[in-house]
Amino acid sequence: MNDDEILRTHGEAIALFGTRVHAVRGDQWHAPTPCAEWSVRDLVNHLTAEQLWVPRLVRDGATIADVGSEYDGDLLGEDPAGVWDRAAVAAVAAFSERGALSRTVQLSYGSGPADAYCTQMMADAVVHAWDLSRAIGADERLPGHLAQAALREVEPYASGLAASGLFAPAAEPPADADALTRLLCLLGRRP
């Protein structure tokens, strides 16, 4: 994808996840999700923390060590949707700054290009939008172009994800599976 496509799909994925965050009812924050051991609140907190890292890494050039434990623990407080909104806006703005996607960022696995980081963040938001949809009983259908973009991102390294211990083993998708089903199966989800 070119920079405009990366920014567009990232922004759309973040907005999609945000619509699901705003659909969480007060009695659903402790509900389970398809992510083992994560409640709805844990899942939203995870994505919120990821967004908070973006300005620090992309705009400020911070390292993992520089940020340290700043975004550990519960970040959502009494206003989970509001905290999410502010973090999401800041992340989209940081990636959208002139020249941001050409920068090098320091990630947990080493240095990498910011455009690849943005694409990874897009894929993560798409997958977790599905997780959150399932957890709260929202529409699990996601835009096909976002599912396809996330699948293109994840396919090259998906085989190593289960070995990380953070993902369930991949499932075999049906022969006629669409991009979203293939993506979810690749990441150990059971759509």
Side-chain angles (χ1 to χ4, degrees), residues 40-121:
V40 166
R41 186 177 182 91
D42 296 330
L43 176 62
V44 173
N45 191 68
H46 165 71
L47 261 285
T48 300
E50 284 192 341
Q51 304 322 302
L52 291 170
W53 277 89
V54 173
R56 297 295 310 277
L57 299 177
V58 175
R59 186 192 62 224
D60 302 342
T63 66
I64 300 294
D66 293 336
V67 177
S69 61
E70 187 173 338
Y71 302 125
D72 290 355
D74 180 52
L75 303 167
L76 301 178
E78 298 298 317
D79 183 20
V83 173
W84 159 260
D85 288 342
R86 289 184 293 280
V89 166
V92 169
F95 277 129
S96 299
E97 287 179 4
R98 184 182 193 111
L101 295 183
S102 300
R103 297 177 187 146
T104 299
V105 292
Q106 306 300 316
L107 302 171
S108 59
Y109 53 82
S111 298
D115 60 347
Y117 176 43
C118 187
T119 305
Q120 290 166 10
M121 294 288 282

Side-chain angles (χ1 to χ4, degrees), residues 1-186:
M1 290 189 286
N2 66 38
D3 286 357
D4 289 340
E5 292 169 319
I6 291 170
L7 291 173
R8 187 187 78 250
T9 58
H10 173 260
E12 290 175 6
I14 295 300
L16 174 66
F17 187 81
T19 63
R20 298 313 192 262
V21 171
H22 283 273
V24 177
R25 293 187 323 262
D27 63 338
Q28 293 179 313
W29 286 103
H30 296 291
T33 69
C35 302
E37 301 180 25
W38 276 359
S39 68
V40 166
R41 186 177 182 91
D42 296 330
L43 176 62
V44 173
N45 191 68
H46 165 71
L47 261 285
T48 300
E50 284 192 341
Q51 304 322 302
L52 291 170
W53 277 89
V54 173
R56 297 295 310 277
L57 299 177
V58 175
R59 186 192 62 224
D60 302 342
T63 66
I64 300 294
D66 293 336
V67 177
S69 61
E70 187 173 338
Y71 302 125
D72 290 355
D74 180 52
L75 303 167
L76 301 178
E78 298 298 317
D79 183 20
V83 173
W84 159 260
D85 288 342
R86 289 184 293 280
V89 166
V92 169
F95 277 129
S96 299
E97 287 179 4
R98 184 182 193 111
L101 295 183
S102 300
R103 297 177 187 146
T104 299
V105 292
Q106 306 300 316
L107 302 171
S108 59
Y109 53 82
S111 298
D115 60 347
Y117 176 43
C118 187
T119 305
Q120 290 166 10
M121 294 288 282
M122 172 276 299
D124 200 45
V126 170
V127 171
H128 286 317
W130 181 85
D131 292 331
L132 188 52
S133 297
R134 173 150 290 186
I136 66 171
D139 187 355
E140 295 177 17
R141 294 172 299 169
L142 305 180
H145 70 284
L146 288 179
Q148 186 63 48
L151 180 62
R152 275 194 317 268
E153 167 58 28
V154 171
E155 277 181 318
Y157 54 81
S159 62
L161 293 176
S164 73
L166 300 174
F167 294 85
E172 186 65 33
D176 62 346
D178 62 10
L180 178 60
T181 301
R182 292 193 331 260
L183 172 68
L184 296 170
C185 287
L186 199 58

